[in-house]
Amino acid sequence: MTPFLYERAADRQGALALGARAGASYLGGGTNLVDLMRETIAHPELLVDVTGLSREIEDTPEGGLRIGAGVKNTAVAGDRRVRQRYPLLAQAILAGASAQIRNMATTGGNILQRTRCAYFYDDAARCNKRAPGAGCDAVEGFNRIHAILGASPACVATHPSDMCVALAALEATVTLEGQDGGREIAFADLHRLPGETPEVETQLRPGELITAVTLPPNGLAARSTYRKVRDRASYAFALVSVAAGLELEGGVIGDVRLALGGVAHKPWRAHAAEAALKGRPATESVFREAAEAELAPARPLRDNGFKIELARRVIVDTLVKLARTEETV
Ligand SMILES: Cc1cc2nc3c(=O)[nH]c(=O)nc-3n(C[C@H](O)[C@H](O)[C@H](O)COP(=O)(O)OP(=O)(O)OC[C@H]3O[C@@H](n4cnc5c(N)ncnc54)[C@H](O)[C@@H]3O)c2cc1C
């Protein structure tokens, strides 16, 4: 590990001042960043510990919920308001990692965790994300876990977070603070597709700090679920995951939200499927049409063609089960 300095931020202004220094990185629970430092993939010169900041979950005047970036994953998943009003989010968090990691991991760090592409972690391999312009060994390599949607010749990595798939479906917003002030950004716009610059993973500006995530009032609590398909029943990243929420009015689909994990460089909001579902009867054939619409642009690599069929089946099965669910809220 390369030597580095460590500072614990006393407050937000202090964090921003330290975060503006050259070579600085914010430190959440460290469950991803410290691994990357040990593997010599990340080399921050200064770690700015922000785990003492933004630790509250608060109701918003509009009826939503604001989750501080420093709130631990375990605390979010266990919060009574999250469990009752946003069960999709609690389920997604609990589907990820292990209890020990969730006890350490923060909301901000989970959002900004890096890909699990093996070529990104292997400094003997070519990786445009780690060394821009180097090339990508995953494209012609062992690419079973890689992207089927929105990838580019420069990068086929996926975003690994479960929590983020739920946040995309719930239409969350992210609060960012920089030295020039704060701004709100739609969660769906935070992460980028790789294009020519896969090393630029989000819309964050240098030194910007995530301070909160805000959930809008409607959590589709009555009929929502997170479904994750993975190689092992626990402690494994998603091959494909689906966050779904459905409102039915007399068997007809009203509001619907669908987002996919494990398939793209960012949490993938399934807009084409949603458009194919709204106002239609909640039947298996309509769900299948919607899945086809979403996956029409999917492009397999050598080893991950199975993900297209898997995603199709998981979308359809999840929606069928949701449509049969008795409203609980
Ligand atoms: C063995 C293992 C299995 C796992 N399995 C899963 C899984 O199945 N599903 C899943 O979703 N995740 C999984 N994870 C990943 C885990 O969820 C992440 O490591 C964790 O959420 C990262 O949070 P953290 O607070 O520890 O982030 P850190 O490691 O501290 O930071 C991650 C990144 O976020 C930045 N950062 C942190 N806080 C802020 C902030 N407030 N503002 C701006 N930047 C910030 C850091 O600079 C860093 O770049 C697994 C991890 C491990 C080690």
Side-chain angles (χ1 to χ4, degrees):
M1 204 190 264
T2 316
F4 60 90
L5 297 172
Y6 169 91
E7 295 267 5
R8 189 168 171 82
D11 53 32
R12 193 170 293 170
Q13 283 317 315
L16 291 173
L18 289 163
R21 289 199 199 158
S25 280
Y26 294 119
L27 178 70
T31 61
N32 187 224
L33 181 56
V34 175
D35 274 2
L36 290 167
M37 291 166 67
R38 286 201 188 104
E39 300 283 341
T40 67
I41 305 302
H43 314 92
E45 291 164 27
L46 168 63
L47 286 185
V48 183
D49 186 338
V50 291
T51 52
L53 313 179
S54 309
R55 299 186 58 141
E56 286 82 37
I57 302 180
E58 297 162 317
D59 286 298
T60 67
E62 299 76 30
L65 213 54
R66 184 178 160 92
I67 301 169
V71 182
K72 300 289 171 100
N73 288 184
T74 299
V76 178
D79 186 271
R80 185 180 42 78
R81 293 159 295 181
V82 173
R83 292 163 70 101
Q84 287 178 353
R85 286 151 52 187
Y86 307 94
L88 174 56
L89 178 59
Q91 286 174 26
I93 291 172
L94 293 175
S98 66
Q100 292 90 338
I101 292 169
R102 295 192 299 268
N103 287 343
M104 290 296 292
T106 60
T107 302
N110 189 318
I111 291 170
L112 294 184
Q113 63 175 291
R114 311 292 301 276
T115 182
R116 310 306 286 201
C117 172
Y119 299 95
F120 172 67
Y121 273 79
D122 176 3
D123 63 6
R126 294 182 308 148
C127 173
N128 285 318
K129 201 179 264 307
R130 181 168 30 76
C136 171
D137 278 342
V139 172
E140 300 291 333
F142 181 56
N143 41 40
R144 183 170 177 275
I145 66 164
H146 290 77
I148 51 171
L149 288 164
S152 76
C155 183
V156 293
T158 55
H159 193 272
S161 169
D162 292 297
M163 183 186 84
C164 289
V165 185
L167 292 177
L170 290 168
E171 295 190 332
T173 51
V174 184
T175 308
L176 304 174
E177 296 282 343
Q179 286 203 301
D180 301 331
R183 59 184 179 127
E184 301 274 330
I185 179 166
F187 188 80
D189 296 336
L190 182 73
H191 296 94
R192 296 178 70 254
L193 288 176
E196 296 288 304
T197 53
E199 74 279 13
V200 186
E201 295 176 344
T202 69
Q203 305 289 351
L204 254 73
R205 298 174 187 142
E208 252 180 339
L209 181 68
I210 298 180
T211 55
V213 171
T214 303
L215 301 170
N218 185 2
L220 294 127
R223 233 182 259 278
S224 65
T225 194
Y226 186 72
R227 182 95 173 266
K228 176 175 179 180
V229 181
R230 47 189 154 171
D231 284 325
R232 288 188 307 266
S234 73
Y235 211 33
F237 290 90
L239 290 167
V240 170
S241 68
V242 173
L246 209 54
E247 284 181 351
L248 295 183
E249 291 144 22
V252 174
I253 300 166
D255 198 2
V256 56
R257 311 282 180 73
L258 205 61
L260 307 178
V263 297
H265 196 256
K266 60 184 283 184
W268 188 265
R269 179 78 185 271
H271 290 294
E274 290 178 5
L277 289 166
K278 276 193 186 132
R280 308 272 313 278
T283 62
E284 187 167 338
S285 60
V286 168
F287 297 154
R288 197 168 302 282
E289 263 180 57
E292 298 291 350
E294 193 61 48
L295 295 164
R299 295 288 169 267
L301 300 161
R302 190 192 67 193
D303 304 312
N304 70 356
F306 75 97
K307 277 193 178 186
I308 298 177
E309 183 57 22
L310 184 60
R312 187 178 291 126
R313 291 184 191 203
V314 181
I315 291 171
V316 173
D317 194 59
T318 302
L319 292 172
V320 165
K321 288 198 170 108
L322 272 187
R324 287 185 193 143
T325 305
E326 291 293 320
E327 296 216 2
T328 51
V329 174

